[in-house]
Amino acid sequence: MSNQANLLNIAIAILFVIIIDYWFIKNEMIFVLMSSSLLIVLIFMAYKIKKIANQKMLESDVNEMSSVDDELIHSVISELQLFLHQEINIIENEAKRTAGLVEDAVIGISSSFKDLQLLSEEQHQMISVLISHTQTIGDDENSSLEDFVNNSNKTLEDFVSVIINTSKQSLETMSYTDKMVEQFDAIFKLLSQVEGLASQTNLLALNAAIEAARAGEAGRGFAVVANEVRSLSVSSTELNHDIRNEIDNAKEIIAKLRSSVETMASADMTSTLEAKDKMSIMMKHVESVNHDTNTSVEELSLLVPKINDAVGVGIRSLQFEDLTRQSLESLQKNLASVHTISDVLVNFEKTPTITVHQQLLSLKEKCQQVYQDTQIAESSRSVKQLSMEEGEVDLF
Amino acid sequence: MAIHSKVSSDGKQLTIVIEDRFDFSLHQQFRDAYCRNNTSDVTYTLDLSKTEYMDSSALGMILLLKDHVQLYTGQLVISKPNDTVNKILEIAQFHRLMTIEL
């Protein structure tokens, strides 16, 4: 303001100089100079006045607007508080619901994993029992199907060798029998010689009887002897016949013996051949079944630890429930912080005693305090484990 | 005759050929075919290429022939049996006892 007063004094002074010059000095040079100086001062003054006027207008505008802003801030903050409150409630409910769902799901999955493990072990035992049953034939000694087939094979071989030996022995018997028949034939030859002797003796006795008859009374005794000799030769011939008949009977018996030995020696091998073929097929089958069974048993025994491992991994993975729960809990703490701010906003009422400025300051203070608390809580957070791979967790 | 036997000129080879059925009815002829040969170091060849059927008495006869061969330190070779006859020889485990030429 003093500037304007100085400028005004300067202007008046210049005007006074101009008037003096106009009337007394009448110097044109000074007149022009002073006039232009006055013009400049006036222009400067006008500028200054305008500037002050502008400043004053601005100040009055600011005063008017601050009252309007207070109301707006209150209503916005009230809206904000309502919005925050509603969102926090929704988030809290959802977090609780999630925690509940996860917990239930984890209990279910955990028990189903344990059941799975038990069932797998049970299944393995059952399969083992089943396999041991299929490999045996159900006798007291628990012999395997393979043993049975091997024994049968051995029995068949023994049977074949018995048959062959029987045949061989029978054929030997046969050759002996043939030799015996030859002996019989030799006996027949001898017998016919004996028969020749008998008929010659008979003839001789007949001649002797004739000679005795011719001798008359003197040859009577000799005739008796000749007669006896003749009857002896007849008896001898009869005896020869009897022997021949007996030997013929023996020959008939030998023929019967021959046929029965033939039956004994000649066994048809076709059925044995078929049995042997079947045995071979069965043996191969049993071998392949045993091989397959052993392979399956090995695969199964490898499968059990794999299932256990898989179940272990599954159960270990279930600790995500614990992590999730801790995360949700810390989330709830954070929500509580936001709640605190929201509560401060509730108190942000239009009070005549406290100005908006002070209220904003106290809000800022509260915000800083909550921010620091949250940071401390975050740094000493209970969930340090960020990944599930980092720790082994026993079954729960 | 279902049996033919032939002795080689040097007397070291005796070949017995059996046709059609080799069974008990041949036992006497079969024995006659080798019995009279009492020289040692003879190779006895039993040609079964024409044999269609064989029963256990044939196996017995072969064993008797083997006994005879062993007695005179000769060799026994069974020659060219067909599939069926060869199977019977296998069941009797003759391949362990003598040479079988297929």
Side-chain angles (χ1 to χ4, degrees):
Chain A
M1 285 307 242
S2 57
N3 267 349
Q4 278 98 43
N6 287 341
L7 280 172
L8 198 62
N9 288 338
I10 290 165
I12 289 165
I14 290 167
L15 196 62
F16 188 68
V17 171
I18 291 168
I19 289 165
I20 289 168
D21 180 63
Y22 186 73
W23 276 323
F24 303 107
I25 301 168
K26 297 211 182 183
N27 187 335
E28 205 169 300
M29 184 72 177
I30 293 168
F31 183 76
V32 172
L33 198 71
M34 285 301 140
S35 297
S36 48
S37 296
L38 183 67
L39 191 68
I40 290 163
V41 169
L42 281 174
I43 289 166
F44 195 69
M45 267 182 72
Y47 168 73
K48 279 283 177 188
I49 287 161
K50 198 185 176 192
K51 200 176 167 187
I52 288 160
N54 272 346
Q55 266 181 356
K56 289 210 169 153
M57 254 175 75
L58 214 71
E59 273 167 19
S60 72
D61 268 8
V62 166
N63 282 340
E64 213 175 304
M65 279 195 62
S66 74
S67 70
V68 173
D69 281 356
D70 279 359
E71 276 175 33
L72 190 61
I73 286 167
H74 279 297
S75 73
V76 165
I77 284 175
S78 170
E79 284 290 323
L80 193 63
Q81 191 271 328
L82 281 175
F83 170 73
L84 273 178
H85 191 73
Q86 183 190 314
E87 293 299 310
I88 288 167
N89 279 344
I90 290 168
I91 292 170
E92 264 180 349
N93 285 339
E94 285 302 308
K96 274 180 196 162
R97 206 162 71 90
T98 309
L101 285 173
V102 168
E103 199 179 338
D104 288 353
V106 163
I107 289 168
I109 294 168
S110 173
S111 80
S112 91
F113 268 135
K114 276 185 267 182
D115 288 353
L116 189 68
Q117 204 170 14
L118 287 174
L119 286 173
S120 131
E121 274 167 23
E122 206 175 316
Q123 188 189 35
H124 182 246
Q125 279 167 4
M126 277 170 77
I127 289 167
S128 301
V129 170
L130 194 69
I131 285 165
S132 72
H133 277 181
T134 45
Q135 279 183 324
T136 59
I137 51 167
D139 63 354
D140 294 336
E141 291 164 10
N142 263 348
S143 26
S144 70
L145 204 57
E146 202 176 349
D147 292 341
F148 172 71
V149 175
N150 277 332
N151 286 339
S152 306
N153 211 21
K154 180 84 174 42
T155 309
L156 187 71
E157 277 169 13
D158 290 350
F159 173 67
V160 168
S161 100
V162 165
I163 287 176
I164 294 166
N165 275 325
T166 308
S167 291
K168 189 186 164 193
Q169 298 299 328
S170 308
L171 286 161
E172 273 180 328
T173 310
M174 214 59 223
S175 68
Y176 294 140
T177 313
D178 288 344
K179 276 177 189 161
M180 195 161 79
V181 170
E182 280 170 24
Q183 294 295 318
F184 278 139
D185 287 341
I187 292 169
F188 271 129
K189 266 183 195 165
L190 292 175
L191 273 180
S192 54
Q193 281 176 14
V194 172
E195 271 170 13
L197 282 178
S199 66
Q200 278 177 2
T201 310
N202 190 20
L203 208 62
L204 214 60
L206 194 65
N207 283 342
I210 290 165
E211 289 300 325
R214 202 186 291 168
E217 197 61 31
R220 180 164 299 180
F222 192 67
V224 173
V225 175
N227 208 30
E228 284 299 315
V229 170
R230 200 180 163 228
S231 73
L232 270 176
S233 85
V234 169
S235 297
S236 160
T237 306
E238 277 173 8
L239 194 63
N240 271 345
H241 271 292
D242 287 349
I243 291 170
R244 197 179 278 274
N245 280 340
E246 290 299 322
I247 290 175
D248 276 338
N249 284 342
K251 271 186 159 180
E252 272 173 35
I253 291 166
I254 285 169
K256 282 179 187 167
L257 175 76
R258 197 186 271 273
S259 94
S260 82
V261 168
E262 179 176 347
T263 314
M264 198 155 68
S266 318
D268 188 7
M269 302 294 282
T270 317
S271 61
T272 318
L273 211 63
E274 283 168 3
K276 180 79 182 178
D277 277 350
K278 277 180 190 163
M279 206 70 88
S280 308
I281 293 167
M282 203 167 160
M283 196 68 211
K284 275 179 192 159
H285 176 68
V286 166
E287 268 171 23
S288 84
V289 163
N290 275 358
H291 180 260
D292 289 354
T293 311
N294 287 340
T295 315
S296 301
V297 168
E298 276 170 27
E299 279 171 6
L300 277 171
S301 61
L302 288 176
L303 218 59
V304 167
K306 276 185 190 167
I307 291 174
N308 285 346
D309 281 355
V311 168
V313 168
I315 287 174
R316 198 162 65 238
S317 302
L318 285 182
Q319 62 176 295
F320 88 89
E321 188 263 347
D322 198 35
L323 296 171
T324 311
R325 190 164 42 75
Q326 290 179 30
S327 289
L328 287 172
E329 274 170 11
S330 79
L331 196 66
Q332 270 175 339
K333 276 178 198 160
N334 291 6
L335 283 175
S337 303
V338 181
H339 239 313
T340 318
I341 302 295
S342 168
D343 287 345
V344 175
L345 290 179
V346 173
N347 296 327
F348 206 95
E349 291 294 321
K350 194 175 185 180
T351 43
T353 48
I354 310 159
T355 64
V356 172
H357 181 72
Q358 277 171 325
Q359 282 183 329
L360 280 173
L361 276 178
S362 76
L363 178 61
K364 187 191 168 199
E365 225 170 88
K366 194 76 188 171
C367 273
Q368 277 174 343
Q369 190 192 328
V370 169
Y371 174 72
Q372 277 169 2
D373 287 353
T374 313
Q375 258 194 339
I376 291 163
E378 181 69 23
S379 63
S380 65
R381 206 166 172 159
S382 59
V383 185
K384 288 291 174 202
Q385 209 174 353
L386 298 173
S387 158
M388 287 189 272
E389 298 298 323
E390 283 177 11
E392 288 283 325
V393 170
D394 290 332
L395 309 186
F396 52 87
Chain B
M1 274 275 274
I3 289 187
H4 305 283
S5 62
K6 192 175 79 185
V7 185
S8 66
S9 51
D10 61 355
K12 291 292 176 191
Q13 293 274 340
L14 174 63
T15 309
I16 303 169
V17 184
I18 298 181
E19 286 172 10
D20 201 20
R21 291 175 69 88
F22 188 7
D23 60 15
F24 190 82
S25 63
L26 300 181
H27 80 278
Q28 195 136 21
Q29 295 173 54
F30 186 76
R31 198 171 66 233
D32 291 345
Y34 65 83
C35 234
R36 269 164 269 141
N37 197 320
N38 296 336
T39 46
S40 54
D41 292 330
V42 175
T43 304
Y44 293 79
T45 305
L46 185 58
D47 185 349
L48 297 180
S49 59
K50 291 173 185 168
T51 311
E52 300 293 329
Y53 174 84
M54 199 162 82
D55 68 4
S56 68
S57 62
L59 297 172
M61 284 183 246
I62 294 171
L63 284 181
L64 287 173
L65 171 60
K66 190 178 179 336
D67 286 352
H68 176 84
V69 169
Q70 272 175 340
L71 189 65
Y72 295 102
T73 60
Q75 277 195 316
L76 175 59
V77 176
I78 294 177
S79 159
K80 293 167 191 156
N82 72 17
D83 279 355
T84 318
V85 171
N86 188 44
K87 268 186 187 170
I88 292 171
L89 292 171
E90 270 178 16
I91 290 173
Q93 304 192 336
F94 273 19
H95 52 281
R96 292 186 194 165
L97 302 173
M98 57 200 80
T99 314
I100 297 175
E101 288 175 352
L102 293 173

